[in-house]
């Protein structure tokens, strides 16, 4: 169930309270992705983000990671379903910074404004998905919920169709999308043609059997 954007109330903890909460969190960790509290009160840790992208993303090749790289080394493709990435972040990192870091990690050239980070949580035997505010802090949400992804997980999605910032797409990106759509359309047409050709072959074979002199 998708719900409207909401902001998680941020409770400011004392250094001692924060230390106890992080110790409790780390005692429940089963994958070694623990949190660390620094002397300045900032803590670091890991979050996992599931990629649920419906539209193709544009990725730079290894030769095009410099600023002066030619645009023809960028490739648009669909990301496989269920892809999960792990990020090491701090308690000061916002949702917007997490999205930018995630895209940068995998050389995604798309404008970060195209994407939104969602939290998925369980409440009263139901699963809720809620879009997070750009200024929220994902590591704080992870700490409060505990390490179990069944209780809270993060999902990267595109903005809803009505929220798409089309001006954020470059002309090469839009052209790549059109090429991908054309290919998908041709593939689907070929599948339909093969299906009807197989149907026609069976009908013609049956018809020959009926008309065959006995």
């Amino acid at each position: 169930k998708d719900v409207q954007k909401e902001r998680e109330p941020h409770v400011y903890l004392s250094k001692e309270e924060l230390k106890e909460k992080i110790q409790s969190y780390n005692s429940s960790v089963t994958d070694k992705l623990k949190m660390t509290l620094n002397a300045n009160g900032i803590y670091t840790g890991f979050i996992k983000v599931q990629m649920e992208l419906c539209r193709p993303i544009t990725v730079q090749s290894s030769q095009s990671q410099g600023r002066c790289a030619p645009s023809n080394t960028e490739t648009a493709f669909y990301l496989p379903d269920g892809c999960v990435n792990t990020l090491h972040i701090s308690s000061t990192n916002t949702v917007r910074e997490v999205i930018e870091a995630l895209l940068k990690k995998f050389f995604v050239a798309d404008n970060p404004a195209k994407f939104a980070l969602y939290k998925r949580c369980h409440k009263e035997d139901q699963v809720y998905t809620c879009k997070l505010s750009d200024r929220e802090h994902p590591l704080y949400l992870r700490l409060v919920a505990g390490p179990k992804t069944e209780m809270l997980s993060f999902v990267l999605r595109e903005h809803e169709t009505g929220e798409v910032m089309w001006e954020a797409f470059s002309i090469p990106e839009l052209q790549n999308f059109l090429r991908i759509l054309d290919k998908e359309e041709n593939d689907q047409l070929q599948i339909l043609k093969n299906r009807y050709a197989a149907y026609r072959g069976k009908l013609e074979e049956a018809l020959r059997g009926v008309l065959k002199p006995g």
Side-chain angles (χ1 to χ4, degrees):
K1 180 180 179 181
D2 286 356
V3 296
Q4 293 182 348
K5 182 190 295 184
E6 63 180 29
R7 185 176 177 82
E8 187 81 14
H10 196 120
V11 179
Y12 291 93
L13 305 172
S14 67
K15 191 172 182 179
E16 191 59 36
E17 289 173 328
L18 194 56
K19 182 179 179 180
E20 291 178 2
K21 202 160 190 66
I22 290 176
Q23 286 177 342
S24 175
Y25 179 96
N26 288 341
S27 66
S28 301
V29 168
T30 58
D31 54 11
K32 298 183 180 181
L33 300 181
K34 296 184 177 183
M35 294 194 187
T36 302
L37 178 62
N38 300 316
N40 58 5
I42 296 174
Y43 52 98
T44 59
F46 299 85
I47 62 169
K48 294 181 179 180
V49 181
Q50 183 169 350
M51 315 288 274
E52 291 185 357
L53 304 179
C54 299
R55 295 188 288 272
I57 58 173
T58 304
V59 177
Q60 296 176 332
S61 68
S62 57
Q63 293 84 10
S64 64
Q65 292 162 19
R67 290 186 178 181
C68 299
S71 59
N72 59 2
T73 55
E74 295 180 349
T75 305
F77 68 93
Y78 285 96
L79 201 65
D81 292 336
C83 181
V84 177
N85 294 297
T86 302
L87 284 179
H88 185 250
I89 62 173
S90 80
S91 55
T92 62
N93 289 134
T94 63
V95 164
R96 179 52 47 190
E97 290 171 335
V98 165
I99 293 174
E100 291 173 355
L102 188 62
L103 299 181
K104 183 178 179 181
K105 180 179 179 181
F106 296 96
F107 308 113
V108 177
D110 297 86
N111 192 322
K114 301 175 188 176
F115 303 94
L117 191 68
Y118 290 74
K119 66 176 181 180
R120 182 177 289 154
C121 54
H122 291 252
K123 292 181 180 178
E124 299 176 355
D125 296 328
Q126 291 194 44
V127 179
Y128 292 85
T129 303
C130 171
K131 185 163 70 172
L132 296 172
S133 164
D134 283 349
R135 295 185 179 180
E136 289 190 75
H137 299 85
L139 195 61
Y140 170 79
L141 300 178
R142 180 79 278 161
L143 176 62
V144 171
K148 293 183 178 180
T149 54
E150 294 83 3
M151 299 304 298
L152 173 74
S153 58
F154 295 105
V155 180
L156 184 73
R157 293 179 178 176
E158 300 97 341
H159 284 293
E160 299 297 332
T161 304
E163 301 175 341
V164 173
M165 299 175 62
W166 293 109
E167 63 274 14
F169 289 84
S170 66
I171 291 177
E173 285 178 314
L174 294 173
Q175 290 173 337
N176 275 331
F177 296 164
L178 286 174
R179 281 194 289 270
I180 291 173
L181 290 174
D182 287 341
K183 182 179 183 302
E184 288 188 344
E185 182 181 7
N186 291 332
D187 289 345
Q188 291 299 319
L189 284 173
Q190 191 58 49
I191 290 172
L192 285 174
K193 287 179 180 179
N194 292 341
R195 183 183 303 169
Y196 281 102
Y199 251 136
R200 185 179 293 105
K202 290 180 180 179
L203 288 172
E204 290 175 349
E205 184 179 351
L207 188 60
R208 286 194 296 270
V210 172
L211 298 178
K212 186 176 181 181

